[in-house]
Amino acid sequence: MDLQIRNLLKTFNGFVALDRINLTVGDGEFVCLLGPSGCGKTTLLRIVAGLLPYDSGELLMGGRDLGGVPARDRGFGIVFQSYSLFPNMTVAENIGYGMKIRHAPRERIAARVAELLDLIKLPQVADRHPWQLSGGQQQRVALARALAVDPSLILLDEPLSALDARVRADLRTEIRDVQRRLGIPTIMVTHDQEEALVLADKVVCMNHGLIEQVGTPQDLYLRPRTRFVADFMGSSNLLPTGWVREAMPHLMPSRPDGAEAAFDACVRPERVSVTPAPGAEGRVIDLTFLGNIRRLRLAWRGRELLAETHQDPGVAPGEAVDVSVAADACAWVRA
Amino acid sequence: MTMPATPSAIPLNRSPARRARSSADERLLYGACVLVPVAALLLFFLFPLATIVWRSLVEEAGGVGPGNYLALFRTPGILRAVTNSLAVGLATTAVCLVLGFMVAYAVQRTRMPGKRFVSAALSLPLLAPSLVLGLGLIFLLGRNGLVSNLLGTRINIYGFSGLLIANVLYALPQAVLIIQAALRHSDARYYDAAEVMGATRWQQFTGITLPNVKFGLLSAGFVVFTVTITDFGNAVTIGGDFTVLATEIYNQVTGQMKFGIGAAVGILLLLPTGVAVYIERVAAQRQFGTGSESALPPVPDHVPARDVPLFLATMALALSIVAVVATVVFASFVRLWPYRLDLTTKHYAITLSGGYEPLWTSLGVSVAAAGIGTALLFALAFGLRRLPAAVAKTVYLLAVLPVGVPGLVLGLSYIFAFNLAGSPLHVLYGSALLLALCNFYHYHTQGFLTMVTGMRAVPPALEEAATCLGGGAVRVLGDVVVPVMVPTLLSVFFFLFMRSMVTLSAVIFLVTPSVTLGAVSVMRLDEAGFVSQAAAFSTCIMAVVAAAALAMRGAVTLATRRTVS
Ligand SMILES: Nc1ncnc2c1ncn2[C@@H]1O[C@H](COP(=O)(O)OP(=O)(O)O)[C@@H](O)[C@H]1O
Ligand SMILES: [Mg+2]
């Protein structure tokens, strides 16, 4: 089943939190809502869950209007950032809770719980209480609890952001695996662009209650359409039209028509190639070693550029370099 | 990882009609949660209060006007009582602040031994009716007290000095709790910074410690002042000829039937406590506004020059509290205090009509006050979260208002509100139920604030998770909110129970010869000259309350271990 969001408007006392959002979540699709804190991601997710009313617009699940359906009748699974396991219940009771509400027979609940504990790779914790689990384990259990009732949609609100980096990376892969296997459409909120790139079939980049761009991770990274998206999806060189015309004229043909200030060129740092050349125009300002990559700040034709390489570029700060950018390395973004 | 083999979940097939019904049921539930407690607040708090205001304006001749207030100035007893109350109130406050800061500092900021003993000793006065302290002092320092007997002289403890000591012992624990909380609220990094900058200990004390607790001190001062000028028990037992407002209001009403004047004094008593409560709340907000989540509590170090004198003084104080309370217990078991010290249980045969009946009534009333109170407060705190912010704020204000009304005034107002022949509310008058309600509303605010704090600690994500899994309001309540709230519910229950067991000031106006309470019996026995029996009865009350306190500790510990990390 797919979820369609049409012209969804949400205000808090006059403050527009979601400004006529349109979005489709296809069957089996993993959608990430990505954006800075306060842009309305959680608000959108909670509206979809039925936990928050909205002003106007439509929510359709498989063509059926969700407007009059309260959260508890929607049959969705939800996982929050933290602290959402019932502290008074064991892990097994937590996972079986949704089925118990549906009056499923005891044996069936037990079987399902065992199955899900296997699925989240925690078969031995059934009788523990939430506080006896680590943060990562708690989130796995929360996921299992959401999955127990065969939800038609899974909603994840920053489920990984309270965990430390290693656990986060592990759990990230696991969430993706489970979702792909079960094929349940999923919406996940995150403010971490890497997480969105790794997990999503479709990334929805939001800012100030508006959707800036929807697309595959590649689309958003390689072909950002706005300055905001370019900036948010990793670092980039954003170059004004006038300067590009002078310094990199070969990038101009791909520029859409529009006023001088309407578009900037976006060049990712790894697309800026740097070769040592004594007496060349470019100069290395400084060089940062980041493990797998090296980042250079360059002064070139009156601007500062950012470049990244995997190999040692063989230059030191202050030395002269040649700078070049391929014609297809540039995306034009709305300023 | 294996794919679940069985498609096992059962879909929720709720028809739209059933859905509409259940959401209407839910609204009904939330509505009732707020409406019932608010209606009860209006009927058993606001209505009596309005009545007492009104009665203070009804003149003896029949008209409406300020006659009663003007009459106050012409009643010499009242004027004296006001000055006496102010004098003893201010003196008690000053002494309590000094001693309270000393004890709180010693417990919180030094490494002296015996802190547990000090804390335990200081909680004793909270377990007993206030007049037990007066009683103990009389046993020790009274005309026929231990000290008079040993020295062969007759000390006169009755009056200002006795009342001052009794009040200090009674109010000190409350002051210490507040100041201790303020001291706990500091951050070790302030001190580390000062240390690095070269500040001496004394400079750190005057530059950081004192400014940081100034709101705590202010708030403790007001609490002590309020408690003192509205306390009834000690004034009756040890005040002697030194009349204060609390006793005067009692005489005017029950002795001389001057209800109008009684009401006017009641209104006057609202003023200082009202101001005190208001300032205390403002202060509390400022105090806690500065504390950050990540504060590191200061770790006390050992400074002999400071800790040894503090230890001696604090121990002396704690021991005197223990001595006063222990004397009461001991005196209840000796034949003729302090002349014939052979042990006997004869004083436990209460000769007052009714015997131990009032103790059982007290128990019943306290259980009822705690049960009704906990249920109503829980419903209110639960429903409040679903109300629109503006309405919730109004209800909140109403719910914290009772703290500004001294028990004495509340009790008096209940007479006016419920002792009206012909009114349907009259059936409640003289019943144990009304006593229970009066006790509950007397301590409504503290219970409510505890409940709200507990409710805030229920993570919203839990409720939402339960809702998304298909749980309705009742399920969310039963499976999520109540289990998390168990420790809070227990502590509110026991708080109301224990206060209800020992309070005297509100219920003194409401007891009748047939329905009377333990604390009142102690007072009557003391008035009738049966001091040893009064001691015996007090001992029984303290035993019940102490047992309840222990039970609460156990239950809360158990519940906390079961539910929270
Ligand atoms: N209950 C509320 N009342 C008023 N404003 C709210 C409420 N919830 C969220 N907002 C506002 O709506 C905006 C979006 O919030 P949210 O969806 O939580 O952002 P995020 O993208 O960080 O999850 C924020 O500016 C927030 O202040
Ligand atoms: Mg959020």
Side-chain angles (χ1 to χ4, degrees), chain A residues 12-13 15 17 35-44 52 157-158 189:
Chain A
F12 291 110
N13 307 317
F15 168 80
S37 175
C39 72
K41 309 177 296 285
T42 297
T43 305
L44 180 54
L52 205 62
D157 190 358
E158 311 217 14
V189 163

Side-chain angles (χ1 to χ4, degrees), chain B residues 175-547:
Chain B
V176 170
L177 285 181
I178 296 170
I179 301 172
Q180 219 178 317
L183 279 171
R184 205 179 295 133
H185 228 77
S186 191
D187 194 321
R189 282 168 289 204
Y190 300 149
Y191 293 91
D192 292 346
E195 190 79 35
V196 172
M197 286 186 273
T200 62
R201 264 176 202 295
W202 179 249
Q203 286 168 329
Q204 291 178 25
F205 179 78
T206 55
I208 303 172
T209 310
L210 278 185
N212 264 310
V213 294
K214 85 180 162 226
F215 286 118
L217 287 172
L218 190 66
S219 144
F222 279 113
V223 168
V224 170
F225 185 75
T226 310
V227 164
T228 308
I229 66 165
T230 63
D231 174 67
F232 186 80
N234 279 325
V236 165
T237 344
I238 205 170
D241 298 333
F242 189 78
T243 57
V244 291
L245 266 180
T247 41
E248 194 57 32
I249 198 173
Y250 182 68
N251 288 339
Q252 293 286 339
V253 172
T254 59
Q256 308 177 30
M257 296 297 162
K258 289 192 174 157
F259 289 103
I261 289 191
V265 177
I267 299 298
L268 285 189
L269 273 180
L270 279 183
L271 294 181
T273 50
V275 172
V277 168
Y278 174 74
I279 293 185
E280 201 227 312
R281 291 194 64 81
V282 172
Q285 271 161 13
R286 290 228 210 127
Q287 173 78 42
F288 297 116
T290 57
S292 75
E293 292 270 304
S294 59
L296 300 168
V299 179
D301 46 5
H302 184 61
V303 186
R306 175 193 70 188
D307 292 4
V308 172
L310 269 182
F311 171 74
L312 294 176
T314 308
M315 274 301 163
L317 195 59
L319 283 172
S320 25
I321 293 176
V322 173
V324 171
V325 176
T327 302
V328 174
V329 177
F330 183 59
S332 76
F333 286 108
V334 301
R335 191 162 299 279
L336 183 60
W337 179 268
Y339 307 108
R340 293 172 56 192
L341 296 183
D342 47 325
L343 297 183
T344 171
T345 53
K346 74 168 188 166
H347 304 301
Y348 283 80
I350 303 294
T351 50
L352 210 61
S353 72
Y356 281 110
E357 190 64 33
L359 183 61
W360 307 127
T361 313
S362 268
L363 258 178
V365 162
S366 303
V367 169
I372 297 173
T374 309
L376 286 177
L377 289 172
F378 176 74
L380 187 58
F382 178 69
L384 213 52
R385 305 215 292 181
R386 266 77 184 176
L387 288 186
V391 185
K393 204 164 178 188
T394 316
V395 174
Y396 187 94
L397 270 183
L398 179 63
V400 298
L401 216 50
V403 77
V405 180
L408 207 61
V409 181
L410 190 67
L412 192 58
S413 73
Y414 268 46
I415 299 188
F416 297 138
F418 299 105
N419 191 14
L420 281 180
S423 136
L425 294 171
H426 189 72
V427 293
L428 283 173
Y429 190 73
S431 72
L433 179 62
L434 193 67
L435 289 174
L437 286 167
C438 180
N439 278 340
F440 166 46
Y441 284 99
H442 185 183
Y443 295 104
H444 189 273
T445 308
Q446 293 91 328
F448 174 72
L449 292 177
T450 310
M451 199 63 95
V452 167
T453 310
M455 198 61 88
R456 278 205 195 113
V458 179
L462 282 187
E463 286 178 63
E464 293 178 346
T467 307
C468 287
L469 287 170
V474 177
R475 273 218 171 260
V476 171
L477 193 63
D479 290 344
V480 176
V481 182
V482 171
V484 177
M485 287 287 285
V486 164
T488 307
L489 291 173
L490 283 171
S491 44
V492 170
F493 182 91
F494 281 105
F495 166 77
L496 290 174
F497 175 83
M498 289 193 274
R499 290 284 89 198
S500 199
M501 279 301 291
V502 301
T503 184
L504 185 62
S505 62
V507 292
I508 186 71
F509 293 101
L510 300 176
V511 292
T512 63
S514 55
V515 179
T516 180
L517 296 173
V520 179
S521 285
V522 176
M523 184 188 116
R524 298 263 186 263
L525 285 165
D526 175 60
E527 275 176 345
F530 300 124
V531 270
S532 294
Q533 286 188 32
F537 211 111
S538 310
T539 304
C540 294
I541 297 180
M542 287 190 282
V544 171
V545 178

Side-chain angles (χ1 to χ4, degrees), chain A residues 185-204:
Chain A
T186 301
I187 305 180
M188 171 162 134
V189 163
T190 177
H191 61 254
D192 178 345
Q193 49 105 4
E194 192 183 319
E195 211 166 276
L197 291 182
V198 171
L199 285 170
D201 298 315
K202 185 150 99 189
V203 179
V204 178

Side-chain angles (χ1 to χ4, degrees), chain A:
Chain A
M1 269 200 288
D2 66 332
L3 173 77
Q4 289 188 29
I5 301 170
R6 292 197 193 138
N7 276 321
L8 187 75
L9 176 72
K10 171 70 187 172
T11 57
F12 291 110
N13 307 317
F15 168 80
V16 181
L18 292 176
D19 193 357
R20 285 176 286 270
I21 298 288
N22 284 288
L23 181 67
T24 302
V25 181
D27 202 4
E29 198 168 41
F30 198 119
V31 172
C32 272
L33 302 180
L34 176 69
S37 175
C39 72
K41 309 177 296 285
T42 297
T43 305
L44 180 54
L45 196 82
R46 289 166 58 82
I47 289 176
V48 171
L51 294 169
L52 205 62
Y54 50 94
D55 299 12
S56 66
E58 266 186 321
L59 284 176
L60 301 171
M61 187 77 199
R64 198 170 61 113
D65 189 5
L66 288 179
V69 187
R72 62 186 170 108
D73 294 334
R74 292 195 181 184
F76 295 169
I78 192 162
V79 177
F80 298 93
Q81 187 173 339
S82 54
Y83 309 118
S84 70
L85 293 182
F86 307 123
N88 48 307
M89 301 180 194
T90 63
V91 166
E93 285 166 343
N94 261 287
I95 297 177
Y97 185 73
M99 298 184 71
K100 192 177 130 203
I101 286 176
R102 288 161 176 74
H103 305 294
R106 199 185 295 261
E107 319 78 65
R108 198 150 152 209
I109 298 183
R112 178 73 170 154
V113 167
E115 205 173 71
L116 284 161
L117 282 172
D118 272 346
L119 182 77
I120 58 169
K121 297 181 184 161
L122 289 174
Q124 71 287 10
V125 302
D127 295 322
R128 292 207 208 148
H129 281 271
W131 76 85
Q132 296 164 311
L133 303 180
S134 69
Q137 289 173 326
Q138 289 189 24
Q139 288 305 74
R140 281 163 203 251
V141 173
L143 181 66
R145 185 178 67 183
L147 291 172
V149 293
D150 272 350
S152 53
L153 182 68
I154 300 178
L155 303 169
L156 308 165
D157 190 358
E158 311 217 14
L160 306 176
S161 60
L163 308 174
D164 55 46
R166 273 301 296 276
V167 183
R168 192 170 356 179
D170 288 351
L171 203 49
R172 192 159 71 191
T173 339
E174 213 150 305
I175 287 179
R176 194 190 50 193
D177 288 352
V178 170
Q179 195 270 341
R180 299 272 143 95
R181 269 160 202 275
L182 304 181
I184 304 172
T186 301
I187 305 180
M188 171 162 134
V189 163
T190 177
H191 61 254
D192 178 345
Q193 49 105 4
E194 192 183 319
E195 211 166 276
L197 291 182
V198 171
L199 285 170
D201 298 315
K202 185 150 99 189
V203 179
V204 178
C205 189
M206 297 177 62
N207 189 24
H208 294 312
L210 284 166
I211 294 184
E212 290 269 337
Q213 187 173 352
V214 180
T216 61
Q218 288 88 333
D219 275 341
L220 264 76
Y221 188 77
L222 300 176
R223 288 174 290 281
R225 281 211 299 270
T226 68
R227 209 183 151 96
F228 175 83
V229 176
D231 235 7
F232 202 78
M233 306 291 296
S235 45
S236 60
N237 295 293
L238 289 165
L239 312 167
T241 305
W243 184 85
V244 175
R245 188 177 291 117
E246 297 298 316
M248 301 180 174
H250 61 292
L251 300 184
M252 286 305 286
S254 61
R255 186 181 189 277
D257 294 334
E260 183 80 358
F263 290 96
D264 289 336
C266 162
V267 178
R268 295 290 180 192
E270 66 273 19
R271 303 301 300 268
V272 177
S273 36
V274 177
T275 25
E281 275 181 89
R283 193 153 310 277
V284 178
I285 301 171
D286 63 27
L287 194 147
T288 318
F289 177 66
L290 295 171
N292 56 342
I293 56 169
R294 284 153 225 263
R295 180 171 296 160
L296 295 97
R297 281 200 303 141
L298 313 165
W300 190 65
R301 298 193 181 164
R303 279 194 80 80
E304 196 178 300
L305 295 181
L306 209 56
E308 283 172 8
T309 70
H310 283 283
Q311 282 89 40
D312 183 357
V315 289
E319 289 184 1
V321 284
D322 229 0
V323 174
S324 67
V325 173
D328 66 348
C330 146
W332 287 93
V333 299
R334 271 199 310 274

